[in-house]
Amino acid sequence: MSISASFCKIWVQSDWSDKEEFLDVIYWARQIIGIIVGLVWGLFALKGFLGLALFAAISAGIIYVWFTAVQGVDESEFGGAWELTKEGFMTSFAGFLVTWIITYSHLHA
């Protein structure tokens, strides 16, 4: 299935018979979240540990709410809620940091 077809399934509860496709959607959605949050933090000159903690909470929260409330998947099929929540977190964190630092440095330094 194509990426665009996978992302069309995001907004409504869908059948995720292909587990890899579901994990791919979580991974790429988290990358998008990381870049958007990095841009926002840079624009509003947020600094320090507060920015890092808020990113982690927002990123994990959005993904958790999406797969439990919107998609209603059985977490046990994917190794539990923790496995789904941490899917793609570190690469998203790296993208967030790079975007945040570049935006902040460009606008406020």
Side-chain angles (χ1 to χ4, degrees), residues 38-43 98-108:
L39 284 171
V40 171
W41 275 208
L43 287 171
V98 168
T99 307
W100 183 24
I101 291 167
I102 290 172
T103 306
Y104 182 89
S105 298
H106 181 70
L107 296 176
H108 305 288

Side-chain angles (χ1 to χ4, degrees), residues 18-28 78 84 87:
D18 183 5
K19 293 179 184 181
E20 286 301 315
E21 179 188 14
F22 185 66
L23 294 175
D24 287 347
V25 169
I26 290 176
Y27 177 87
W28 287 109
F78 296 93
L84 289 173
E87 176 70 27

Side-chain angles (χ1 to χ4, degrees), residues 58-75:
I58 289 170
S59 179
I62 288 172
I63 295 298
Y64 182 79
V65 167
W66 177 74
F67 73 74
T68 56
V70 177
Q71 292 299 319
V73 298
D74 181 14
E75 300 100 7

Side-chain angles (χ1 to χ4, degrees), residues 42-95:
L43 287 171
F44 291 109
L46 192 61
K47 296 190 275 187
F49 181 74
L50 178 63
L52 297 172
L54 282 174
F55 166 73
I58 289 170
S59 179
I62 288 172
I63 295 298
Y64 182 79
V65 167
W66 177 74
F67 73 74
T68 56
V70 177
Q71 292 299 319
V73 298
D74 181 14
E75 300 100 7
S76 62
E77 292 181 23
F78 296 93
W82 178 247
E83 290 299 318
L84 289 173
T85 304
K86 70 178 187 173
E87 176 70 27
F89 180 79
M90 290 309 290
T91 52
S92 173
F93 185 65

